[in-house]
Amino acid sequence: MMRLRVLLLLVAGSIPAPAIAGDAHLFSGVDVFGSAVLGSSKTTDGGAPVAGGGIVGNLRFGPAIAIGGHVGYQFDNPFSAFLSYRYTQGDVGWDVSFPRVGVSSGFEGSSISNALLGNVGYQMPLSETTAVTAHAGVGLSINTLSGVTEFDNQTGQFLATLADHSVWSSAAQIGLGIEHEINSSAKLSLGTSLLYLGGFETDAFRTGNLGTTEINPYRLNDVWTTGLNLSLRFEF
């Protein structure tokens, strides 16, 4: 909750003086994102209990591509309210060391997020056809680790697979952009955003060289995405 408050305060501090009011109307749009993903892990007891607890390190995310959409209402002032949805997918990997038995494993898979947020937006016109925009939102995300494979870090030998697993998490975002009017009913914008997705978690079973065995899940914490987005908005 503290992270969400900080995000909203950052956006509030970036909002400039009141803008020129416009006509109230409905709008909807499509969004495409190219993002970098960052995260951490606090797991120190992952894997099979017999191994004494695995410590997650070297967490790495590949570049992520996201698509989404939004629908909302522009008031007859600089503010708007809208719902947004974003689907994000990218590669993820991490290493796990087991100090008690002196071995380490590597994990590779995909991270998938489905985020739904309620947002408030602000517009400051620069000309009759161009405006600076800002927005902030909070909501929920369903975060999934998919196709996760475990292998031996020393030999590269396959060890096990983990079933896909999803968790719910709080989500929040802030964004800034430049919006340009193409015609009376369509606008194109280029922007940047910071999206907090929360956590990911593996399944509690592995299937491989030891058969199917129960494990303590590996958890990825405080995952963020940031990057550029292109949006096309239609007004009614």
Side-chain angles (χ1 to χ4, degrees), residues 100-168:
R100 178 179 294 183
V101 293
V103 299
S104 66
S105 291
F107 293 78
E108 299 289 347
S110 296
S111 62
I112 300 170
S113 297
N114 290 273
L116 182 65
L117 301 103
N119 306 267
V120 292
Y122 183 88
Q123 241 183 20
M124 186 183 73
L126 298 178
S127 69
E128 291 185 357
T129 58
T130 305
V132 174
T133 63
H135 68 267
V138 293
L140 294 171
S141 181
I142 303 175
N143 299 328
T144 302
L145 289 175
S146 175
V148 176
T149 299
E150 179 183 3
F151 56 90
D152 183 272
N153 267 339
Q154 284 69 44
T155 65
Q157 181 181 357
F158 166 83
L159 295 178
T161 58
L162 282 67
D164 296 359
H165 187 68
S166 301
V167 294
W168 289 82

Side-chain angles (χ1 to χ4, degrees), residues 163-186:
D164 296 359
H165 187 68
S166 301
V167 294
W168 289 82
S169 179
S170 58
Q173 70 174 349
I174 57 173
L176 294 170
I178 296 289
E179 184 178 75
H180 181 73
E181 184 178 295
I182 301 173
N183 55 45
S184 60
S185 61

Side-chain angles (χ1 to χ4, degrees), residues 35-50:
S35 302
V37 185
L38 301 172
S40 61
S41 178
K42 301 174 184 177
T43 301
T44 58
D45 62 349
V50 68

Side-chain angles (χ1 to χ4, degrees), residues 63-66 87-91 110-113:
I65 300 297
Y87 173 87
T88 306
Q89 179 172 349
D91 295 332
S110 296
S111 62
I112 300 170
S113 297

